[in-house]
Amino acid sequence: MTATNEHGLQKITTIIEQHQTLPGAMLPILHAIQNDLSFIPSNALPLIAKALNVSKAEVHGVISFYHHFRTEEPGAHVIEICRGESCQAMGSRTLEEKIKQNLSIDYHQTSKDRQYTLEPVYCLGNCACSPAIRIGDDIHGELDLQKFEQIIASLNTYSLELK
C-alpha cells in the first residue's frame, strides 16, 4: 500500500486525529505514521502542519533532525547495525564495512532489489553479545560475516516461501 492512495491518506488523517490533542503531538504523530506505513510520505507533511498549526518546514525539520524517521519506503528488511561502544570494541566497524560491501549499500540506503535497508543504531541493549544487529524485531548477537550471510540467506528463503 502506498501513502498516496486514498486508503493511505485516510490512515494518515486518522492517525493525526487520534494524536493531535496530545501534548507535544508532533512526535507521537510521526511515530504512529511511520509505524503504520513504514515511512513518512511527503503528502503527510501538509496534513500534520495544518492539524498542529505549524509550518510544513517545521514538520520537515523534526523529521530530518531525528535519524529514526524515513521519508522513503524502506526495503522489505530493515537491518540496523549497532554502533554502540561495546559493539565497536568487539569489531562492529569492520563488520559494518563488510555488510555494506555485501549488500552494495550504505547507511540510509535501500538495495536495488528493495529487499534491504541499512540503518545505524546506537545501542540495542545486547552488549554482552556484541557485535549485534536487529532485523525487524529480531536481534542477532555475536555476529560475524558468516553468521550475517546465514541470516540473509534465511530471510531470502523465508521471503520465497511466502510467495
Side-chain angles (χ1 to χ4, degrees), residues 1-12:
M1 179 207 49
T2 65
T4 56
N5 67 27
E6 190 62 36
H7 182 67
L9 288 173
Q10 183 55 48
K11 283 184 134 191
I12 292 167

Side-chain angles (χ1 to χ4, degrees), residues 117-138:
T117 296
L118 195 59
E119 299 288 347
V121 65
Y122 294 93
C123 187
L124 291 172
N126 199 35
C127 301
C129 297
S130 296
I133 64 170
R134 177 173 47 208
I135 302 175
D137 292 331
D138 298 324

Side-chain angles (χ1 to χ4, degrees), residues 58-74:
E58 287 178 81
V59 179
H60 173 75
V62 171
I63 292 169
S64 63
F65 179 79
Y66 293 103
H67 295 291
H68 171 75
F69 295 123
R70 290 185 208 95
T71 56
E72 294 181 16
E73 191 167 9

Side-chain angles (χ1 to χ4, degrees), residues 95 99 102 126 129-133 135 139-155:
L95 180 63
I99 290 172
N102 188 297
N126 199 35
C129 297
S130 296
I133 64 170
I135 302 175
I139 295 177
H140 305 274
E142 299 177 343
L143 201 68
D144 58 24
L145 187 58
Q146 181 180 3
K147 189 172 178 182
F148 175 77
E149 289 172 346
Q150 290 170 348
I151 293 165
I152 293 299
S154 71
L155 290 174

